[in-house]
């Protein structure tokens, strides 16, 4: 987020990047193996299929009693939630606040929900009984805790075989516990920090979350959900395999003054909707798309953006299939105001990680599809953070301190540059308009552009011969010279690349925005 810091760094208190919401799932994979694992489990426990229902009902009854024992012994509430529309988190937080729970179990909420479980069915081919894994409904137990390391969280276990577990953690809750232990002061508002005593130290603690031993941390929570796991599986040993089906990684930019974020954020929202294309969104998420190219034809996922006004602020969100990138103005306080940019990954296979093949030679490293397993958690965070930073740099193009009239003043007049007269820009002409649009493309934000990059955008097709190539290159050189003379671009040292100046970025953004808005809308905005 170099561009964002360069432009707005003087307005900021600090920046925090790390996990927001994490959904972690634990599965006994051996029991899902084409039903063979479950059959083997029954065999080792000397259970016939005709006795399956009686056996599993008995195990479920024992599991429920063991799972609820800690709540009953500690006099913590056990509540049945009838409506799926009820927010279990809100119920748990109200109980926590009512009872002043600072650590330990808050409550256990029970609810009947869909699950994947086994039933015994007749096999028409073998004329014998068989197992079938299918979607059913069973009782789930939600344990809500103030965990000593993870803060407010919950774990859910289905009470029927194969006992899938799901946990919902929050990186900000986790960080609060870390800062408490490190005695770092902070002001927490909902799910973000408006003020931190030492942002650098807090970021180090955030980074430490990426190197945690996930099984070591999660297995004790799983044992609390099912205290009789070892008893159930003493003859057929299975352990939970941990995955992350959904993650949110957020970068919080904390502004010193409320008025700065209140002034800038509406313009950022407008800029995001009007000027950031679908191809830009894919670039933010790490997909390599050539300069000036549209979304690749082979990309078949849905791409769209929307804006919603909610109680806590305005949210702009860009969807790329099951994954997304969004920005919120999360909170405004006297201590600080937070702009949050967040990447959500629900489809991890859209990304790549440099790793060995699962179960293969550990030295056989190659770029392979990202996995849901916690082994690829570090790369998931890295991909998300880079996406956030690219998006913030794109938003940095916004500036409301200069009117369009001020930006364009004198640009249409010729200037003297390095002893030679250089013509003014025809700001609303087709040729210069296309040139300004080309240099403002998102892929040039970080590395800048070259003469041949502009050629690929502004000329149709390949040059027919060497003479045509030279003519195109010479023409682009004149255009680049004109842009430099008017201080819209500057040369990157020791290279043949150029990058927009602050003035150039403001101008391009303003002109493109003006061109995209209808006359009636411009009149409305001016009013």
């Amino acid at each position: 987020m170099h561009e964002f810091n360069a432009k707005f760094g003087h307005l900021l208190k600090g920046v925090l990047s790390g996990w927001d919401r994490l959904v972690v799932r634990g599965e006994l994979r051996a029991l899902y193996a084409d039903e063979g694992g479950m059959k083997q489990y029954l065999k080792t426990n000397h259970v016939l299929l005709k006795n399956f229902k009686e056996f599993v009902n008995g195990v479920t009854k024992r599991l429920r009693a063991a799972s609820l024992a800690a709540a009953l012994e500690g006099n913590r509430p056990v509540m049945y939630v009838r409506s799926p529309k009820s927010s279990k988190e809100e119920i748990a937080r109200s109980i926590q606040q009512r009872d002043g729970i600072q650590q330990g179990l808050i409550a256990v909420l029970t609810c009947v929900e869909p699950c994947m479980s086994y039933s015994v069915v007749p096999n028409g081919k073998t004329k014998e009984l068989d197992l079938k894994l299918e979607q059913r409904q069973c009782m789930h137990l939600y344990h809500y805790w103030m965990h000593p390391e993870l803060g407010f969280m919950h774990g859910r276990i289905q009470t029927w075989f194969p006992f899938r577990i799901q946990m919902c953690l929050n990186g900000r809750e986790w960080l609060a516990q870390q800062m408490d232990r490190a005695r770092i002061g902070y002001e927490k508002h909902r799910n973000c920090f408006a003020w931190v005593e030492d942002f650098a130290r807090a970021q180090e603690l955030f980074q430490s979350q990426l190197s945690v031993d996930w099984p070591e941390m999660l297995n004790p929570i799983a044992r609390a959900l099912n205290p009789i796991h070892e008893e159930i599986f003493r003859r057929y040993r299975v352990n939970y395999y941990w995955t992350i089906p959904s993650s949110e990684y957020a970068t919080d930019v904390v502004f010193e003054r409320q008025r700065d974020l209140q002034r800038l954020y509406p313009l950022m929202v407008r800029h995001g909707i009007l000027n950031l294309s679908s191809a830009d969104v894919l670039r933010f998420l790490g997909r390599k798309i050539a300069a000036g190219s549209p979304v690749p034809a082979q990309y078949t996922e849905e791409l769209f953006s929307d804006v919603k006004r909610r109680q806590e602020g305005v949210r702009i969100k860009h969807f790329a299939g099951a994954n997304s990138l969004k920005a919120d103005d999360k909170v405004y306080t006297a201590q600080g105001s937070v702009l949050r940019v967040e990447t959500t990954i629900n489809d991890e296979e859209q990304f790549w990680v440099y790793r060995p093949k699962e179960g293969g030679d550990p030295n056989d490293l190659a770029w392979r599809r990202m996995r849901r397993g916690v082994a690829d958690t570090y790369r998931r965070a890295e991909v998300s953070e880079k996406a956030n930073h690219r998006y913030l740099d794109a938003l940095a193009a916004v500036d409301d301190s200069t009117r369009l009239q001020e930006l364009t003043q004198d640009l249409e007049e010729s200037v003297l540059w390095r002893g030679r007269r250089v013509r003014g820009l025809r700001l609303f002409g087709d040729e210069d308009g296309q040139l300004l649009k080309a240099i403002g493309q998102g892929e040039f934000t970080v590395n800048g552009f070259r003469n041949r990059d502009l050629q690929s955008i502004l000329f149709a097709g390949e040059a027919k011969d060497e003479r045509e190539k030279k003519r195109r290159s010479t023409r682009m050189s004149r255009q680049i010279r004109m842009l430099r003379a008017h201080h819209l671009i500057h040369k990157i040292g020791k290279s043949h690349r150029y990058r927009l100046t602050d003035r150039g970025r403001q101008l391009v953004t303003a002109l493109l925005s003006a061109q995209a808005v209808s006359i009636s809308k411009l009149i409305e905005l001016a009013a």
Side-chain angles (χ1 to χ4, degrees):
M1 51 184 292
H2 173 76
E3 295 287 333
F4 194 94
N5 279 329
K7 181 164 290 188
F8 302 122
H10 64 289
L11 304 177
L12 307 181
K13 278 189 170 183
V15 178
L16 283 176
S17 289
W19 296 123
D20 188 25
R21 184 182 63 93
L22 277 174
V23 176
V24 184
R25 185 173 293 162
E27 292 179 327
L28 302 173
R29 294 173 77 182
L31 301 187
Y32 289 88
D34 298 326
E35 295 88 40
M38 189 64 190
K39 288 180 179 178
Q40 187 63 34
Y41 169 79
L42 295 175
K43 184 178 179 179
T44 58
N45 283 276
H46 311 294
V47 178
L48 300 177
L49 287 183
K50 65 178 182 179
N51 300 323
F52 177 81
K53 185 175 181 180
E54 179 183 359
F55 172 77
V56 297
N57 283 346
V59 174
T60 292
K61 184 180 292 186
R62 285 157 43 212
L63 184 152
R64 289 178 61 182
S67 188
L68 297 176
L72 298 176
E73 291 171 8
N75 199 29
R76 300 312 307 144
V78 176
M79 296 176 55
Y80 176 66
V81 180
R82 184 178 299 275
S83 172
K85 295 182 180 180
S86 300
S87 171
K88 301 177 187 66
E89 180 176 335
E90 289 182 6
I91 295 171
R93 286 195 180 274
S94 66
I95 294 172
Q96 179 195 15
Q97 185 175 11
R98 181 195 70 192
D99 297 346
I101 303 298
Q102 298 299 315
Q103 189 166 317
L105 184 64
I106 298 170
V108 178
L109 307 182
T110 67
C111 186
V112 175
E113 295 177 340
C115 71
M116 295 299 294
S117 189
Y118 287 101
S119 59
V120 175
V121 297
N123 188 320
K125 293 182 179 180
T126 63
K127 307 301 181 182
E128 295 178 352
L129 295 177
D130 207 348
L131 285 176
K132 183 179 181 181
L133 181 64
E134 59 185 352
Q135 189 172 61
R136 306 178 69 189
Q137 295 268 344
C138 84
M139 180 69 73
H140 289 69
L141 307 180
Y142 284 78
H143 290 237
Y144 281 86
W145 289 284
M146 272 302 295
H147 192 276
E149 291 184 47
L150 301 172
F152 183 89
M153 63 157 295
H154 80 259
R156 180 190 75 178
I157 185 169
Q158 71 176 56
T159 56
W160 287 5
F161 277 93
F163 309 128
R164 172 183 280 180
I165 286 175
Q166 184 162 296
M167 302 180 193
C168 190
L169 321 177
N170 190 287
R172 266 61 184 173
E173 294 281 347
W174 189 352
L175 179 61
Q177 299 297 310
Q178 292 175 298
M179 289 196 290
D180 285 343
R181 288 193 296 273
R183 298 185 179 181
I184 299 173
Y186 60 87
E187 289 287 339
K188 186 170 178 285
H189 293 266
R190 296 194 297 271
N191 189 31
C192 57
F193 301 95
W195 171 80
V196 176
E197 183 181 12
D198 187 340
F199 275 96
R201 177 65 181 134
Q203 186 60 54
E204 290 177 6
L205 295 175
F206 239 153
Q207 288 299 114
S208 71
Q209 295 180 6
L210 304 182
S211 57
V212 69
D213 185 328
W214 288 96
E216 182 179 338
M217 183 176 70
L218 299 174
N219 286 338
I221 303 174
R223 286 194 292 272
L225 291 170
N226 182 8
I228 62 170
H229 176 89
E230 296 299 325
E231 176 188 335
I232 295 172
F233 296 102
R234 70 180 183 274
R235 292 177 177 169
Y236 186 81
R237 296 289 181 180
V238 288
N239 294 311
Y240 279 101
Y241 176 76
W242 299 104
T243 63
I244 299 180
S246 179
S247 67
E248 295 174 352
Y249 189 96
T251 297
D252 287 351
V253 181
V254 185
F255 282 76
E256 181 87 31
R257 299 177 300 183
Q258 295 184 45
R259 64 175 181 267
D260 291 328
L261 182 56
Q262 289 171 334
R263 174 175 54 88
L264 290 169
Y265 186 64
L267 297 175
M268 291 178 179
V269 171
R270 184 181 301 167
H271 173 67
I273 287 295
L274 294 179
N275 299 324
L276 300 181
S277 67
S278 295
D280 288 328
V281 174
L282 289 181
R283 291 187 188 101
F284 298 149
L285 292 171
R287 188 171 288 257
K288 294 182 179 179
I289 301 176
S293 298
V295 175
Q298 63 269 28
Y299 187 85
T300 58
E301 301 290 338
E302 188 175 16
L303 285 163
F304 67 97
S305 301
D306 74 0
V307 176
K308 286 187 178 179
R309 185 176 296 277
R310 301 179 296 183
Q311 183 177 359
E312 59 268 28
V314 176
R315 186 269 285 155
I316 177 172
K317 192 169 185 177
H318 310 276
F319 296 86
N323 302 321
S324 63
L325 187 62
K326 68 178 180 181
D328 296 85
D329 52 339
K330 292 294 289 185
V331 67
Y332 294 94
T333 73
Q335 293 84 16
S337 300
V338 179
L339 166 65
R340 172 171 292 178
V341 169
E342 184 172 276
T343 296
T344 299
I345 296 180
N346 296 313
D347 180 6
E348 69 288 339
E349 289 194 350
Q350 295 295 318
F351 306 99
W352 299 81
V353 57
Y354 194 65
R355 62 173 176 86
K357 188 175 182 180
E358 189 169 359
D361 182 354
N363 296 316
D364 180 22
L365 299 175
W367 285 103
R368 308 181 196 276
R369 297 283 184 181
M370 188 184 291
R371 300 163 293 186
R372 283 196 173 185
V374 293
D376 286 349
T377 304
Y378 190 93
R379 174 60 177 166
R380 180 186 284 253
E382 183 180 48
V383 165
S384 300
E385 183 174 45
K386 287 181 178 179
N388 290 349
H389 288 184
R390 293 186 192 105
Y391 188 50
L392 281 166
D393 279 343
L395 294 181
V398 172
D399 189 290
D400 71 335
S401 62
T402 307
R403 298 190 302 271
L404 182 60
Q405 180 184 2
E406 295 169 326
L407 281 174
T408 58
Q409 188 175 7
D410 300 330
L411 283 179
E412 294 187 340
E413 298 178 7
S414 63
V415 295
L416 194 66
W417 189 67
R418 294 186 177 180
R420 295 177 60 182
R421 181 68 58 181
V422 179
R423 74 170 176 84
L425 277 79
R426 304 177 186 94
L427 293 175
F428 296 98
D430 287 342
E431 181 180 346
D432 290 354
Q434 290 299 317
L435 175 64
L436 292 172
K437 184 177 180 181
I439 64 175
Q441 295 200 14
E443 63 265 33
F444 300 142
T445 301
V446 177
N447 295 322
F449 59 86
R450 298 163 296 184
N451 184 306
R452 64 173 176 266
D453 293 328
L454 296 183
Q455 290 183 49
S456 67
I457 297 172
L458 298 174
F459 292 101
E462 297 290 334
K464 298 178 181 179
D465 50 38
E466 289 299 322
R467 183 178 178 183
E468 175 68 12
K469 285 183 181 180
K470 186 175 180 180
R471 186 185 69 81
R472 290 184 178 187
S473 178
T474 302
R475 183 176 177 184
M476 283 300 98
S477 295
R478 289 197 300 269
Q479 301 279 49
I480 289 171
R481 177 183 174 83
M482 176 183 65
L483 295 171
R484 294 183 70 186
H486 288 281
H487 305 292
L488 300 180
I489 64 173
H490 65 88
K491 190 173 183 180
I492 301 174
K494 298 181 181 180
S495 75
H496 295 288
R497 292 179 177 271
Y498 302 87
R499 187 184 291 143
L500 284 168
T501 62
D502 288 345
R503 185 190 189 193
R505 188 172 299 282
Q506 293 173 23
L507 175 69
V508 169
T509 301
L511 289 176
L512 293 180
S513 299
Q515 291 171 2
V517 180
S518 64
I519 295 297
S520 60
K521 191 65 177 179
L522 285 173
I523 295 173
E524 178 185 337
L525 291 172

